[in-house]
Amino acid sequence: MSDHDANRRFAAEATVEPEHIARARAHALELGASPISPEVGAQCALIAAVGRAMNIVEIGTGAGVSGLWLMHGAPRATLTTIDSEPEHLGAARRAFAEAKVPPARARFITGRAADVLPRMNEASYDIVLVDADPAGVIEYVEHGLELVRPGGTVLVPRVLAGGAVADPVKRDPVVSAYRSLIQETQASPAVIGALSIVGEGLLQLTTVEGD
């Protein structure tokens, strides 16, 4: 095992997932949803806590796992989660109820993100998490950057596509989209970007505040 693999394994084993999130993960897997890993969830919670997030948008519900991690870091926040799968949203509702999240702090929207996002208020959110159809990731991130306030953050898990992004031989549309997203945002003066390789990877983009 390489040092890199050993580090990733240690990070995975060292991450402690709260019991209510672990239960939501088990239900998500039963549904065939693919929730974010505990390592990425912990990073999302930290970012929400440090930013004192109060308004969060989640594109892709994942049966509630990512939303619960975000609210673990920002328990006073209000979360709006969008998913085209009613079954996943239903599982998320149950997971939030079991976690005793007040109903007023969670809004569940059934629909395609491409249809819902243009109707949302721009520059009004602290965090937007993008965990939806990889083919639309660039469009969703563009919407996310419009929705967050100055100094707000867009989070993109799975951005390494299971290691395919780092493989120069891989050139399918999804891999190319992730690769372009990473390269363009790292070079953009409009955001401060960081790429974490823990878990399935997490791209973090914080908009630059004006003078």
Side-chain angles (χ1 to χ4, degrees):
M1 179 182 293
S2 68
D3 289 345
H4 174 68
D5 290 337
N7 288 338
R8 293 182 74 153
R9 179 176 177 181
F10 178 81
E13 293 176 349
T15 302
V16 177
E17 186 163 59
E19 185 177 341
H20 67 284
I21 303 180
R23 287 197 302 269
R25 177 179 304 282
H27 293 153
L29 294 173
E30 289 173 1
L31 282 177
S34 181
I36 60 173
S37 67
E39 309 95 281
V40 168
Q43 290 187 53
C44 292
L46 176 65
I47 293 164
V50 169
R52 298 182 178 179
M54 294 300 294
N55 293 292
I56 300 172
V57 173
E58 178 184 50
I59 305 169
T61 302
V65 173
S66 48
L68 288 174
W69 267 117
L70 287 163
M71 299 193 80
H72 180 65
R76 296 174 58 204
T78 298
L79 173 77
T80 299
T81 185
I82 305 163
D83 204 293
S84 60
E85 293 287 345
E87 193 173 16
H88 291 182
L89 286 166
R93 286 180 186 273
R94 291 190 294 274
F96 276 51
E98 290 177 7
K100 295 183 170 45
V101 175
R105 295 205 182 278
R107 182 167 64 137
F108 302 88
I109 299 178
T110 305
R112 294 175 62 251
D115 298 329
V116 176
L117 295 174
R119 302 198 299 267
M120 303 185 76
N121 294 329
E122 296 184 0
S124 299
Y125 299 90
D126 302 301
I127 293 175
V128 174
L129 184 139
V130 178
D131 188 20
D133 177 16
V137 66
I138 291 178
E139 178 185 359
Y140 298 147
V141 169
E142 288 174 348
H143 276 300
L145 290 171
E146 292 175 353
L147 292 179
V148 293
R149 60 170 175 76
T153 297
V154 175
L155 300 172
V156 191
R158 306 180 214 280
V159 75
L160 297 176
V165 168
D167 185 347
V169 175
K170 304 290 187 181
R171 298 181 181 275
D172 65 78
V174 168
V175 169
S176 296
Y178 278 134
R179 196 174 285 144
S180 295
L181 175 65
I182 294 168
Q183 293 169 344
E184 291 174 12
T185 53
Q186 291 295 302
S188 172
V191 298
I192 297 171
L195 176 62
S196 169
I197 61 172
V198 171
E200 63 272 32
L202 180 68
L203 182 62
Q204 305 157 63
L205 305 170
T206 296
T207 57
V208 175
E209 298 187 66
D211 295 333

